[in-house]
Amino acid sequence: MARRPPAVEGLIIDATLIDDAMFPKTRMRRLRQPGIRNLVVETELSINDLICPIFVDETIKKPAEIGSMPDQYRFPLDRVADEAKEIEELGIPAIILFGIPETKDEEGTSAYDDNGVIQQAIQNIRSVTDDLLIITDVCLCEYTTHGHCGIVDYDAERVLNDPTLPILGKVAASHARAGADIVAPSGMMDGMVRAIRTALDIDGFTDTPIMSYAAKYCSCFYGPFREAADSGYAFGDRSGYQMDPANSDEALRELELDIDEGADIVMVKPALPYLDVLHRVKTTFSMPTAAYQVSGEYAMIVAAGARGWLDQDQAICESLLSIKRAGADMIITYFAKDAARLLTA
Ligand code: PBG
């Protein structure tokens, strides 16, 4: 409510004195008063924007906390439905599943086993809810012994792009058969979206959308995830297939290819260090755009929050709002449950 300022004794306002030299014409603070502030708000975070990751581990019996991601757990198969139900009851519309399989091999074959960890997890979740959207991460790094996102030539220490494509197609189709609503390829192989679209269409899943991790940077902020998903690599790094943090024109070229190949939703990842890229992507393509607030972004806020160096709840809200303001339509975040509670409090 606008309030009249208290009269200052001795100050007589003479209209002839009100000129540009004395008073700014526009006072930004007029619209920052309580009440008015809410009327002019430009960006709002909604619970409908949130996607909550779940790690499903075929090798454990009890939920296991992830050391570098306090309060985040790997769930055994028989607990994943409970977790999904809890997420749904908080009002969050979607989850994204990551699997830690019992067996790994050089080609990641357990990733497309119809009885694999993700496929079973989807069925378990579907037995308790029809409405929660299930997105699956489609990648090989959790399923290969060497931890790379494609099959490799050991001698050359190289990831082999093209031979990986049909495998990714099989993984996506197998997820769709199990009941996935959206598949999300994250391996940054060239041509992966086309390969997956083809495999899905041939299997009759013409209506299953692809959310492509289109601009995925080669980032140290994935560090905690690799502990969470047991996907550290045996040699080299991922700079041969993930993007150079120095580049943003290149992100637009990546996007163009993925859209051309059939991506329905595009993603920028990580989020906060790449808000400029997110903004360019959204304004250039006007595509449904997702951002991934990754494990390292989570770890930083939680670590500072635990020491009392930051107000954790405010940091969660401010970072998510910034990601939205930059252009994200949806956000994958380990803070999804916290944000849902804060938004409905
Ligand atoms: C798999 C994948 C990764 C992440 C999501 N999918 C790891 C990587 O590429 O090394 C990272 C997510 C996070 O850090 O939260 N390719």
Side-chain angles (χ1 to χ4, degrees):
M1 235 24 83
R3 267 176 222 98
R4 194 176 290 279
V8 179
E9 221 178 320
L11 180 70
I12 299 155
I13 305 242
D14 176 344
T16 61
L17 293 178
I18 302 178
D19 60 19
D20 287 358
M22 269 194 78
F23 295 105
K25 263 204 191 113
T26 301
R27 292 181 181 272
M28 296 307 289
R29 61 179 58 200
R30 277 184 204 128
L31 301 183
R32 290 178 192 148
Q33 300 173 87
I36 299 179
R37 192 161 53 215
N38 293 339
L39 209 58
V40 297
V41 85
E42 295 175 39
T43 311
E44 262 176 311
L45 187 65
S46 149
I47 208 162
N48 288 323
D49 305 327
L50 302 172
I51 301 170
C52 187
I54 304 184
F55 295 102
V56 197
D57 187 340
E58 212 176 0
T59 70
I60 56 175
K61 293 270 169 289
K62 283 190 303 208
E65 194 173 13
I66 299 157
S68 50
M69 300 176 74
D71 219 25
Q72 295 294 318
Y73 294 82
R74 295 181 183 191
F75 292 93
L77 270 167
D78 62 4
R79 290 292 297 276
V80 73
D82 291 344
E83 176 64 12
K85 196 77 200 153
E86 188 184 321
I87 291 168
E88 183 179 39
E89 277 162 10
L90 284 166
I92 297 166
I95 54 172
I96 181 162
L97 295 177
F98 296 95
I100 297 103
E102 183 108 59
T103 55
K104 303 189 184 216
D105 60 27
E106 284 202 10
E107 301 200 342
T109 56
S110 56
Y112 57 84
D113 179 348
D114 279 344
N115 212 15
V117 57
I118 291 296
Q119 292 79 353
Q120 287 189 59
I122 297 170
Q123 285 155 14
N124 293 353
I125 294 166
R126 272 292 165 254
S127 71
V128 298
T129 163
D130 288 327
D131 298 330
L132 185 68
L133 283 174
I134 304 178
I135 306 171
T136 57
D137 184 82
V138 175
C139 194
L140 297 186
C141 61
E142 295 110 303
Y143 303 86
T144 51
T145 39
H146 46 73
H148 276 290
C149 303
I151 58 179
V152 300
D153 174 347
Y154 267 102
D155 296 333
E157 297 207 338
R158 233 162 54 86
V159 173
L160 302 172
N161 190 92
D162 297 2
T164 300
L165 299 179
I167 304 179
L168 294 176
K170 283 191 193 179
V171 177
S174 158
H175 289 177
R177 275 197 299 277
D181 296 297
I182 301 176
V183 292
S186 67
M188 289 293 280
M189 297 295 124
D190 287 320
M192 67 182 183
V193 175
R194 185 188 304 270
I196 287 172
R197 185 72 271 154
T198 308
L200 289 173
D201 289 352
I202 288 173
D203 251 28
F205 295 103
T206 48
D207 285 344
T208 304
I210 298 174
M211 173 193 277
S212 179
Y213 288 63
K216 177 172 175 180
Y217 284 86
C218 186
S219 169
C220 75
F221 291 105
Y222 309 149
F225 175 94
R226 291 178 187 153
E227 178 197 339
D230 192 23
S231 67
Y233 32 78
F235 61 82
D237 59 25
R238 303 208 204 286
S239 59
Y241 43 104
Q242 297 182 346
M243 284 189 54
D244 184 340
N247 298 349
S248 80
D249 288 345
E250 187 189 337
L252 301 187
R253 297 204 299 279
E254 277 277 5
L255 260 286
E256 215 173 317
L257 287 171
D258 279 20
I259 294 166
D260 192 49
E261 289 177 27
D264 302 283
I265 301 169
V266 291
M267 196 194 300
V268 175
K269 177 184 172 194
L272 214 53
Y274 296 88
L275 291 186
D276 58 325
V277 178
L278 187 55
H279 188 254
R280 284 188 80 184
V281 160
K282 184 64 188 175
T283 50
T284 306
F285 297 103
S286 306
M287 284 285 289
T289 304
Y292 197 145
Q293 185 179 46
V294 300
S295 56
E297 297 179 74
Y298 175 86
M300 285 196 298
I301 290 176
V302 171
R307 285 167 179 74
W309 293 347
L310 275 182
D311 179 315
Q312 181 163 324
D313 288 350
Q314 284 187 30
I316 292 171
C317 292
E318 189 175 330
S319 60
L320 292 174
L321 190 66
S322 301
I323 294 164
K324 183 103 195 268
R325 191 194 61 236
D329 299 298
M330 62 200 98
I331 307 170
I332 303 176
T333 173
Y334 301 97
F335 290 122
K337 286 160 76 177
D338 304 88
R341 287 192 194 99
L342 291 166
L343 284 167
T344 49

